[in-house]
Structure formats: C-alpha cells, structure tokens
Amino acid sequence: MKLILIRHGETKEGKKGIILGQLPGTLSAKGKVTAKQLASFIKSTDINPSVIFSSDLRRAKETAKIIAKILKLPIKYDQLLRERFSGQAEGKLEKEINWKEYEKKKKPFRRHPEGESFSEVRARARDFIKKINKTKNKDIIIVSHSAFLSMLLSVFYKWSIEKSLKWDFSNRITILDLQKKSRAEFLPLSKIKAIHRKK
C-alpha cells in the first residue's frame, strides 16, 4: 500500500497571513489550479489510488473534490486529518502573535493558548495509521494539512517531531510505501509542470 500525501492548495486567507488552524479556509485561484495539476499528474503515472481520505475542513475538501473529479475516485472525510487546532490564534494575523512567548516550550509541547500541541496531532496521526492498516485499500490519496502530514511522517518513520516539521509539503506530492518504509519520495510541482510541458 502506498500513501500519496497532498497538502491542500493555497488559500485566500493564507495569502493574507491569517492563521487558520481548524477554521474552514477557502482555496485561492492558484490553489485550485495546483490541485488540478497534481491530479492530472497522478493520472499520467502508474500510481493507482482507490480512494481519497480527506480532512473535513473546507480548504481540504475543495482540494479533494477537484482531485476526485479528475481521477474519478470516492472521498472519505475524516476529522483525524484536520489541521492542528490553534486555539486563540485562529483567525488572527501571524504578525499579531507573540511568537517569542509561543516558542518558549519545546516543539512537541508547543501550542497556542487553548490550542493543540504537535504531540497531540501526532497521536491523531497514529490513530489514522491504525485505521487505514485495517483496510484492504491499495494506494490511498490523503489530502490534509502541513502539521498533520508532518506528524504522519513522524509516526511512519519514527522521526522526531522537530525533524518531521522540516519536511515541506507545499506544491508537491509525497509518497510513502507502507511495505518498504525506506524513504519518502516526493515530486515537486516544478517537476510536474515540466513533465506536462514536454507532452
């Protein structure tokens, strides 16, 4: 079984520097185009997903629906795949946050007031891995958010939370092979665009 990890497309709020956390979010025009490009690329390869698991937050749902339409796949929404809850920081601009105070704690336990820590997100990722290990699906597309996908890598490879958070999910496809567990492969959007230009 392979897991194809995709972060939702760019959002209108993200462009403005707004912290969304578990707020819905809305894809920008660029975010929609990126989702189409990623789906078209998957369609042109030997990757053969049978289902899409998606966060139930709007920005992820919009991304998943675009991909599902092109690949003709069913979608299963799961709250486990939600972004890290940012508590009192949600809806605020990044420049409004006291980052010095936020960064006092070590990363695994770092959280915004009333929010969720990375360790708690990692526990959700562990629960999700257990859930899909019980399925008989072949390859699965997962549409989610940066923090959750990072913690999925942490569980999968037993990486530290610090190491996992360095992985960049923006504008790329990350592929995990549950059998090999050797390394994560990734395909950056720049390469995907180049492949499409050659056709």
Side-chain angles (χ1 to χ4, degrees), residues 115 134 166 197:
K134 295 177 182 178
K166 292 178 181 178
R197 282 197 292 269

Side-chain angles (χ1 to χ4, degrees), residues 149-161:
L149 294 176
S150 295
M151 295 306 98
L152 202 61
L153 286 182
S154 179
V155 172
F156 187 73
Y157 287 114
K158 296 181 173 59
W159 285 353
S160 69
I161 285 176

Side-chain angles (χ1 to χ4, degrees), residues 97-127:
I97 303 301
N98 183 343
W99 293 106
K100 188 174 182 180
E101 182 67 26
Y102 169 80
E103 292 170 359
K104 282 182 178 180
K105 290 187 177 180
K106 293 183 179 179
K107 280 189 179 178
F109 311 105
R110 197 170 287 174
R111 71 174 81 227
H112 295 287
E114 299 179 13
E116 190 177 19
S117 70
F118 288 109
S119 292
E120 289 169 327
V121 180
R122 192 178 190 277
R124 280 201 276 124
R126 188 183 302 112
D127 289 342

Side-chain angles (χ1 to χ4, degrees), residues 5 8 14 27 30 34 48 54 80 86 99-100 130 133 135 142 145 156 159 165 170 172 181 190-191 196 198:
L5 311 184
H8 64 80
L27 289 188
K30 180 181 177 181
T34 299
N48 189 30
S54 172
L80 287 174
S86 295
W99 293 106
K100 188 174 182 180
K130 289 178 182 176
N133 276 337
T135 70
I142 298 173
H145 313 264
F156 187 73
W159 285 353
L165 288 171
S170 55
R172 63 172 63 183
K181 283 198 174 183
S190 57
K191 181 178 178 181
H196 282 291
K198 291 177 183 178

